[in-house]
Amino acid sequence: MSDALTVINQYACFNGTVGFYRHASQVCNCEMRFAVFVPPQAKQASVPVLYYLSGLTCTEENFTTKAGAQRYAAEYGLMLVAPDTSPRGEDVPDAEDAWDFGKGAGFYVDATESPWNQHYHMYSYVVDELPTLIHANFPVQPDRTGIFGHSMGGHGALICGLKHPDRYRSISAFAPISAPSQCQWGQKAFSGYLGTDRAAWQDYDATELIKRGARIERAILIDQGTEDTFLAQQQLLPEVFAAACEQAGQPVTLRMQPGYDHSYYFIATFIGDHIQHHAAALT
């Protein structure tokens, strides 16, 4: 492991290893953290890698400790990588009166507006810097990569996957913010990070990317709980994304799950299906 990467903690898990790491990010201009599950198969050979992007207020710990994904990743021989959701540190600007903007709410964009443009480059971090670091330090197969996420992270997974079909073989999402330009969360984040020119927003809106011709060969899997309060508040809009996919001919499976909300209880219930979805494309 390179000197650029510091091990915070490591734990045995399903005959593999869960590790928490930190490093100095050139892209985000601060220290960044992420978690990795290395499956037992990696002891013998390089393995496919699956990136998970978390939602608002989360860190690299939420998915790693709550989703129960390691059991299934160990079964299929997939490495799991879960980065933090935003830059951190005393020098990193924050919106102290908001939980849905600033620290913990990077929205997986490259900010162009001051003061956010000094650190908030989560898009480039996820698609460029972090994979480079993973490839240099872990036994992965770079050509076998998938991406998924939850809520804000579902939005991130959709845009990263759709913008780079050459890098990601598979995409899935739990309750993603599917049309951010059309919801309060997305409008707040985009106007703050990217400015008021809505044309710039389209590069980070999965629904708009589909309308502009973005495609991935395999079907996108989306699970959405029917009792999700953010669904009722029109923050997620999965039906808008699904309609755009149907119009454009992009395969998508949108599963409305009766009785489920926005929590990690929902994610833990269906995480096995999502790991299997990616394993079918990656292994």
Side-chain angles (χ1 to χ4, degrees):
M1 189 164 292
S2 71
D3 293 338
L5 195 59
T6 299
V7 180
I8 302 171
N9 285 305
Q10 284 186 334
Y11 307 93
C13 183
F14 290 98
N15 294 317
T17 305
V18 168
F20 292 88
Y21 306 88
R22 67 173 182 262
H23 72 106
S25 168
Q26 294 183 356
V27 168
C28 294
N29 193 28
C30 66
E31 182 179 274
M32 292 294 293
R33 299 189 177 206
F34 61 90
V36 178
F37 171 67
V38 180
Q41 293 86 342
K43 297 173 184 176
Q44 281 76 43
S46 296
V47 295
V49 58
L50 180 56
Y51 291 85
Y52 178 89
L53 307 183
S54 292
L56 289 164
T57 75
C58 291
T59 70
E60 71 282 1
E61 294 185 3
N62 296 76
F63 169 78
T64 306
T65 59
K66 294 181 178 180
Q70 294 90 352
R71 169 187 174 185
Y72 302 101
E75 178 181 349
Y76 290 106
L78 299 179
M79 187 174 297
L80 298 174
V81 179
D84 198 353
T85 54
S86 79
R88 308 277 181 177
E90 294 183 1
D91 296 333
V92 174
D94 191 16
E96 295 182 359
D97 59 344
W99 62 274
D100 54 357
F101 188 80
K103 292 181 182 178
F107 259 86
Y108 304 102
V109 304
D110 284 348
T112 57
E113 297 296 297
S114 181
W116 316 104
N117 58 352
Q118 297 301 309
H119 298 278
Y120 284 74
H121 297 149
M122 288 302 297
Y123 174 77
S124 290
Y125 180 74
V126 168
V127 301
D128 292 322
E129 187 175 35
L130 181 59
T132 298
L133 194 64
I134 295 298
H135 299 164
N137 289 279
F138 297 91
V140 297
Q141 300 172 351
D143 62 333
R144 294 181 180 271
T145 301
I147 191 165
F148 68 148
H150 172 229
S151 195
M152 177 186 71
H155 141 74
L158 290 174
I159 63 167
C160 291
L162 287 171
K163 287 163 73 75
H164 295 284
D166 57 327
R167 300 188 196 182
Y168 302 100
R169 291 193 181 189
S170 53
I171 306 171
S172 75
F174 297 93
I177 303 174
S178 304
S181 298
Q182 301 180 44
C183 74
Q184 183 180 5
W185 275 346
Q187 292 165 0
K188 179 177 182 177
F190 286 179
S191 61
Y193 293 135
L194 304 173
T196 57
D197 182 5
R198 286 179 171 254
W201 299 5
Q202 294 184 3
D203 285 340
Y204 298 104
D205 186 314
T207 296
E208 296 302 321
L209 289 173
I210 289 291
K211 291 179 180 179
R212 287 162 49 182
R215 299 289 183 273
I216 188 169
E217 181 178 352
R218 292 180 178 268
I220 299 168
L221 173 63
I222 296 176
D223 273 315
Q224 173 65 62
T226 61
E227 301 305 309
D228 188 328
T229 56
F230 301 119
L231 178 68
Q233 294 172 10
Q234 299 293 301
Q235 296 280 26
L236 306 175
L237 304 174
E239 72 283 357
V240 173
F241 177 73
C245 287
E246 182 177 2
Q247 180 71 24
Q250 168 62 52
V252 62
T253 301
L254 172 58
R255 308 193 307 185
M256 302 301 295
Q257 302 293 0
Y260 286 90
D261 61 9
H262 202 71
S263 72
Y264 267 86
Y265 296 111
F266 160 60
I267 295 173
T269 301
F270 300 103
I271 190 66
D273 292 350
H274 283 249
I275 298 295
Q276 185 178 39
H277 168 81
H278 291 281
L282 302 178
T283 60

